[in-house]
């Protein structure tokens, strides 16, 4: 791989790549990355399947889609963590995986209202396990109860358009009215406070801390391989696995995407030597944080599995609300992670932002404005269901 070209292209400029007329004129089609995003099949009559077709669209770590569904009755099912879809190197305590259970439950609950149902959610019906273990017990039992005339949650309208936007933003701060809207909205149902910062000082600190965090994250073989395993190097991989994320979600399209996928990035090369992939992740983190004026976090004092699930629900609602407001949203989780190499930077991060040392920052994300990237793919609902 030609490192200079790789970095220039992946860094969003075509740089010194000489595009042949064959490539430039080949009429590259945009990918069909909306796999799974059409909502439920109109012919589907089973309310459980209709609701699950929305739930699978929720934000979740690395787009792992770590859910198992066991049907328990004609209108009910249990949700479990899929133990084969964890991120043990970057999320060793499975905290983010449990946040991803909450995002699933929130999306499901909102979808139910749009389909004239209430989703009654009973958390950890067989008992909650500690936040350092994962036990084969349901995270929630869900019962769908028909409620004719129920007013749909206004966020229902945004389930099929919500996404994570990892592109560079335009560096503009949110208006005070937008911040007030988000605080009011979050205050209505939140279980953990939302902090929004956009001073110059905060921005500079975040640029440094988040870039340093990515630098720490890369360069460890297990962590690198965990991320690379979820990176989709081309359309064939997207179609085959229907999970993870790729060049499109990182913000490349058209010819740039074609060049990167065709000539500069291959799974074989990157797995053999992930150094440049890692360097690029650091450069992209620097570029995205530098392009951002507004950073947000949700922190909790307690950190049980239920707290994590509840934060997932809150985070999902905020992502849908910012979608409604025309804002882009992007979590940056590296500095929050629990592996030992991250600890000193995490301590420094909390100190820099006056976060209590024993509080857990559950979600840290940036907000702003940017062009909309394509959706990440989703698997079939049938793949979630186990007997
Ligand atoms: C708990 C959690 C942590 C996440 N951390 C990151 C992150 O560190 N970096 C990132 O680019 N995206 C992060 N994401 C966003 C996911 O990559 C994204 O939700 C997933 O790829 C699905 O894409 P979508 O949200 O556009 O549907 C995170 C999402 C969740 C729920």
């Amino acid at each position: 791989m030609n490192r200079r070209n790789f970095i220039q292209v992946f860094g969003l400029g075509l740089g010194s790549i000489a595009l042949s007329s064959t490539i430039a004129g080949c009429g590259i089609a945009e990918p069909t990355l909306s796999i799974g995003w059409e909502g439920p099949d109109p012919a589907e009559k089973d309310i459980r399947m209709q609701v699950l077709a929305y739930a699978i669209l929720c934000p979740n770590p690395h787009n792992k889609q770590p859910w198992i569904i066991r049907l328990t009755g004609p209108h009910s099912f249990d949700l479990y963590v899929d133990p084969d879809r964890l991120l043990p190197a970057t999320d060793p305590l499975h905290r983010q995986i449990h946040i991803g259970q909450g995002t699933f439950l929130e999306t499901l609950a909102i979808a139910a209202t749009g389909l004239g149902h209430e989703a009654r959610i009973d958390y950890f019906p067989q008992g909650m396990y500690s936040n350092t273990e994962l036990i084969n017990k349901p995270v929630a039992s869900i019962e769908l109860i028909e409620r004719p005339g129920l007013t749909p949650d206004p966020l229902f309208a945004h389930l099929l358009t919500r996404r994570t936007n990892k592109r560079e933003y335009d560096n503009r701060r949110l208006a005070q009215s937008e911040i007030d809207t988000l605080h009011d909205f979050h205050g209505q149902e939140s279980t953990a406070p939302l902090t929004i910062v956009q001073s110059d000082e905060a921005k500079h600190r975040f640029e440094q801390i988040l870039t340093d965090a990515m630098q720490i994250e890369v360069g460890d073989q297990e962590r690198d391989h965990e991320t690379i395993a979820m990176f989709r190097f081309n359309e064939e991989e997207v179609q085959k696995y229907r999970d993870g994320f790729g060049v499109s979600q990182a913000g490349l399209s058209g010819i740039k995407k074609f060049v990167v996928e065709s000539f500069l990035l291959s799974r074989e090369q990157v797995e053999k030597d992930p150094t440049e992939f890692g360097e690029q992740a650091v450069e992209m983190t620097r570029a995205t944080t530098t392009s951002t004026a507004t950073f947000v976090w949700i922190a909790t004092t307690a950190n049980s599995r239920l707290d994590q699930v509840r934060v997932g629900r809150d985070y999902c609602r905020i992502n849908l609300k910012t979608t409604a407001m025309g804002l882009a949203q992007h979590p940056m989780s590296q500095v929050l992670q629990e592996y030992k190499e991250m600890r000193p930077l995490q301590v420094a991060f909390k100190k820099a932002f006056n976060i209590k040392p024993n509080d857990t920052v559950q979600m840290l994300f940036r907000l702003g404005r940017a062009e909309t990237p394509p959706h990440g793919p989703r698997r079939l609902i049938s793949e979630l269901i186990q007997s």
Side-chain angles (χ1 to χ4, degrees):
M1 183 168 9
N2 178 332
R3 180 175 176 277
R4 193 163 145 257
N5 287 348
F6 172 45
I7 287 186
Q8 282 179 327
V9 173
F10 214 14
L12 307 187
L14 272 176
S16 63
I17 290 274
L19 288 175
S20 75
S21 54
T22 334
I23 300 165
C26 69
I28 300 150
E30 278 303 301
T32 50
L33 281 181
S34 290
I35 307 169
W37 283 85
E38 54 289 325
D41 181 341
E44 178 61 70
K45 294 284 175 275
D46 187 329
I47 183 66
R48 298 168 304 179
M49 299 308 137
Q50 291 178 32
V51 161
L52 290 170
Y54 284 105
I56 200 169
L57 305 179
C58 68
N60 67 96
H62 274 10
N63 199 16
K64 264 278 175 187
Q65 304 174 33
W67 314 292
I68 288 177
I69 297 295
R70 298 215 164 95
L71 303 176
T72 52
H75 298 103
S76 60
F77 52 88
D78 286 351
L79 169 68
Y80 290 76
V81 171
D82 184 341
D84 295 328
R85 290 183 163 268
L86 306 175
L87 295 163
T90 53
D91 182 33
L93 302 180
H94 317 305
R95 182 183 57 80
Q96 295 181 65
I97 290 289
H98 282 81
I99 292 176
Q101 306 301 308
T103 57
F104 190 91
L105 289 170
E106 185 60 29
T107 308
L108 176 163
I110 294 169
T113 68
L115 299 165
H117 283 69
E118 177 199 341
R120 196 167 281 170
I121 296 174
D122 184 12
Y123 296 112
F124 298 101
Q126 292 176 25
M128 187 168 64
Y129 39 87
S130 86
N131 66 8
T132 54
E133 58 186 354
L134 179 63
I135 292 183
N136 185 25
K137 286 181 178 179
V139 171
S141 288
I142 298 101
E143 193 187 352
L144 300 169
I145 302 157
E146 197 167 359
R147 296 264 185 248
L150 182 75
T151 308
D153 187 316
L155 297 177
F156 178 66
H158 306 289
L159 292 181
L160 298 182
T161 49
R162 183 216 59 81
R163 71 199 77 208
T164 300
N165 193 328
K166 308 187 188 202
R167 287 179 189 250
E168 290 182 32
Y169 296 174
D170 70 2
N171 239 324
R172 265 190 300 151
R173 291 180 180 180
L174 266 59
Q176 189 55 47
S177 58
E178 291 172 317
I179 293 180
D180 294 346
T181 300
L182 285 173
H183 277 311
D184 288 350
F185 172 79
H186 184 71
Q188 287 162 20
E189 293 179 36
S190 75
T191 52
L194 183 74
T195 308
I196 305 177
V197 293
Q198 49 179 8
S199 67
D200 285 345
E201 193 193 346
K203 172 184 164 61
H204 290 132
R205 284 190 170 164
F206 269 118
E207 284 170 14
Q208 190 66 51
I209 289 169
L210 296 175
T211 308
D212 288 352
M214 187 57 89
Q215 187 76 63
I216 292 167
E217 173 115 338
V218 301
D220 169 85
Q221 226 182 10
E222 262 179 65
R223 289 196 294 270
D224 283 347
H225 281 127
E226 192 167 274
T227 303
I228 291 164
M230 293 313 289
F231 194 83
R232 300 292 162 246
F233 286 82
N234 50 51
E235 273 296 290
E236 288 71 46
E237 288 196 349
V238 173
Q239 298 282 348
K240 182 172 171 196
Y241 298 109
R242 301 175 64 128
D243 61 7
F245 55 95
V247 169
S248 293
Q249 282 74 46
L252 295 195
S253 60
I255 285 176
K256 287 178 193 168
K257 177 176 180 294
F258 177 79
V259 171
V260 169
E261 287 183 346
S262 308
F263 304 114
L264 301 176
L265 266 186
S266 83
R267 177 171 295 286
E268 202 187 15
Q269 284 171 316
V270 170
E271 280 178 351
K272 207 160 93 193
D273 181 4
T275 317
E276 288 171 12
F277 193 84
E279 283 174 10
Q280 198 50 42
V282 174
E283 281 321 304
M284 288 184 78
T285 305
R286 196 188 308 281
T288 49
T289 50
T290 306
S291 75
T292 304
T294 309
F295 294 87
V296 186
W297 67 88
I298 303 174
T300 54
T301 303
N303 184 28
S304 70
R305 291 301 188 205
L306 183 55
D307 293 307
Q308 297 165 2
V309 170
R310 286 201 164 122
V311 165
R313 294 193 67 162
D314 285 350
Y315 175 79
C316 187
R317 290 188 72 79
I318 293 167
N319 199 176
L320 290 161
K321 182 67 178 174
T322 57
T323 302
M325 294 164 72
L327 296 172
Q329 181 165 325
H330 177 203
M332 304 191 84
S333 305
Q334 287 66 38
V335 72
L336 313 183
Q337 288 169 173
E338 286 91 349
Y339 51 85
K340 71 172 181 336
E341 295 90 328
M342 195 57 78
R343 257 176 237 147
L345 185 63
Q346 193 177 106
V347 169
F349 155 62
K350 286 182 175 173
K351 204 165 166 210
F353 288 98
N354 290 323
I355 299 164
K356 290 192 194 125
N358 291 331
D359 280 5
T360 304
V361 181
Q362 302 280 2
M363 289 301 293
L364 170 62
F365 50 101
R366 59 194 186 102
L367 289 178
R369 291 179 172 80
E371 216 182 299
T372 305
H375 283 300
R378 292 299 191 275
R379 291 179 297 151
L380 297 169
I381 296 304
S382 53
E383 290 178 51
L384 265 47
I385 297 176
Q386 291 185 6
S387 49

